[in-house]
Amino acid sequence: MEKRLHTFFESGVLDKYILDETSASECLKAELYIDTYPEVKSEYLRLQSNLEILAKADAVEAPKFILDAILNNVEQDTNPVIQMNKSHRRTPWYSIAASIVALLFAGASYMMYDQNQELLIENQAVVDEIFDLRSDIAINNQKLDDLMLQFMKLNNPETEKYVFRGNARAKNLKTVAYINTVDKTSMIDVVSLPQLGEDQFYEVWAQMEEDLVSLGIIDPSERKMQALPYMENALGLSIRIGSRKNGITNSNEEPVAQIALKSKNN
């Protein structure tokens, strides 16, 4: 809406409307915006006030001798005032007919104006829908670009594919990791994860030379590629079941799936 109001103010239609220099369509547009948007109405009142101030500032006061001359002429005028007799003639029928036609024309004009206002509002609603549609298209295009980027990464010859298969504690677990040591990127694709308890979660760990490093929690509901931090010189990856009890997070469980990563020297 801010962009639409900015475009309207920049068009100069409101300034032309104040100066009575607008066309019929511009006049309707200005009146619609004044009635619809408080910001436009406030700016309209401000411009109108400024115009009145300028008009008063440029006004030239009539010389006092002119008023004195007019009063002297009135006092010197001795012509009697002729009293006009009131006419009691009936109003001609064509005057009545003309009045009726004028009323009908006024009513038709008001109906056309009202319909035109409704049409302008409908047109504005269509414009708003077009803006929303363009926004949705931009979002969808961004999603397509992200998917294309992921597809290119997966089909990169330097990308290695690793399949996690669950052990006896998570028989239906199956996820796929994609790691590119050249671009230094890693992703994980959730294929299937067994249901856990309310306070449990799946967490990915990287096995380093001396310790384990957490790479984050897997979201089971996210059925798309999830990015993982890339760990240089990681020896392997594992998926473990963590738990939250009494506000304490415990992730020291044994892995339910693990893989060994290929060495650069291999």
Side-chain angles (χ1 to χ4, degrees):
M1 184 182 73
E2 292 182 0
K3 182 178 180 181
R4 192 178 310 117
L5 290 177
H6 179 73
T7 303
F8 174 75
F9 286 135
E10 289 293 327
S11 67
V13 172
L14 188 60
D15 298 329
K16 293 169 64 180
Y17 180 76
I18 290 292
L19 299 174
D20 197 19
E21 298 177 353
T22 54
S23 61
S25 60
E26 290 176 334
C27 182
L28 290 175
K29 183 176 181 180
E31 291 174 352
L32 174 62
Y33 271 75
I34 291 171
D35 293 339
T36 305
Y37 302 104
E39 297 88 343
V40 178
K41 184 175 182 179
S42 176
E43 180 65 12
Y44 167 71
L45 295 176
R46 187 186 70 82
L47 292 176
Q48 195 174 45
S49 177
N50 291 343
L51 187 62
E52 291 177 357
I53 293 173
L54 290 175
K56 292 179 180 178
D58 294 337
V60 178
E61 185 176 359
K64 292 184 179 180
F65 69 84
I66 293 179
L67 178 60
D68 296 337
I70 293 174
L71 292 175
N72 291 332
N73 289 334
V74 171
E75 292 174 355
Q76 294 173 5
D77 191 1
T78 58
N79 294 329
V81 177
I82 301 175
Q83 184 69 31
M84 301 296 294
N85 295 326
K86 295 183 179 179
S87 175
H88 298 284
R89 292 185 300 172
R90 297 176 63 184
T91 303
W93 65 269
Y94 51 82
S95 298
I96 299 175
S99 300
I100 295 174
V101 171
L103 290 174
L104 293 175
F105 179 77
S109 299
Y110 176 77
M111 291 179 61
M112 292 180 63
Y113 173 79
D114 190 55
Q115 292 176 355
N116 195 23
Q117 291 293 101
E118 292 179 357
L119 183 60
L120 288 174
I121 294 174
E122 292 177 359
N123 288 342
Q124 189 60 50
V126 172
V127 171
D128 293 340
E129 291 178 359
I130 292 175
F131 275 110
D132 293 340
L133 183 60
R134 288 180 177 176
S135 178
D136 293 340
I137 292 174
I139 293 174
N140 290 333
N141 287 339
Q142 184 61 46
K143 291 181 179 179
L144 289 175
D145 291 341
D146 294 340
L147 288 175
M148 182 61 68
L149 181 61
Q150 290 182 357
F151 180 78
M152 293 174 62
K153 288 182 178 180
L154 296 182
N155 287 274
N156 190 321
E158 301 295 337
T159 300
E160 297 288 346
K161 176 180 177 181
Y162 301 90
V163 178
F164 287 92
R165 298 187 186 277
N167 55 23
R169 296 178 56 205
K171 293 182 179 180
N172 296 327
L173 184 150
K174 185 177 181 182
T175 61
V176 182
Y178 299 90
I179 299 177
N180 189 315
T181 57
V182 177
D183 294 338
K184 300 186 184 303
T185 58
S186 60
M187 298 178 293
I188 189 167
D189 183 18
V190 176
V191 179
S192 63
L193 290 174
Q195 188 71 28
L196 294 176
E198 183 178 354
D199 297 328
Q200 293 181 308
F201 55 87
Y202 290 102
E203 189 170 6
V204 182
W205 293 80
Q207 178 65 56
M208 307 304 292
E209 187 71 34
E210 298 180 354
D211 56 0
L212 290 171
V213 177
S214 174
L215 301 183
I217 296 174
I218 303 175
D219 186 356
S221 63
E222 195 71 25
R223 296 296 179 179
K224 67 177 184 180
M225 205 75 65
Q226 301 180 44
L228 289 177
Y230 177 79
M231 297 299 296
E232 189 76 32
N233 300 323
L235 302 177
L237 298 177
S238 62
I239 298 177
R240 300 165 185 260
I241 298 177
S243 61
R244 300 184 185 91
K245 293 182 180 179
N246 300 324
I248 301 176
T249 301
N250 181 14
S251 300
N252 296 325
E253 298 286 343
E254 291 296 321
V256 294
Q258 57 185 340
I259 57 170
L261 300 179
K262 295 181 181 179
S263 172
K264 293 183 180 180
N265 297 325
N266 294 343

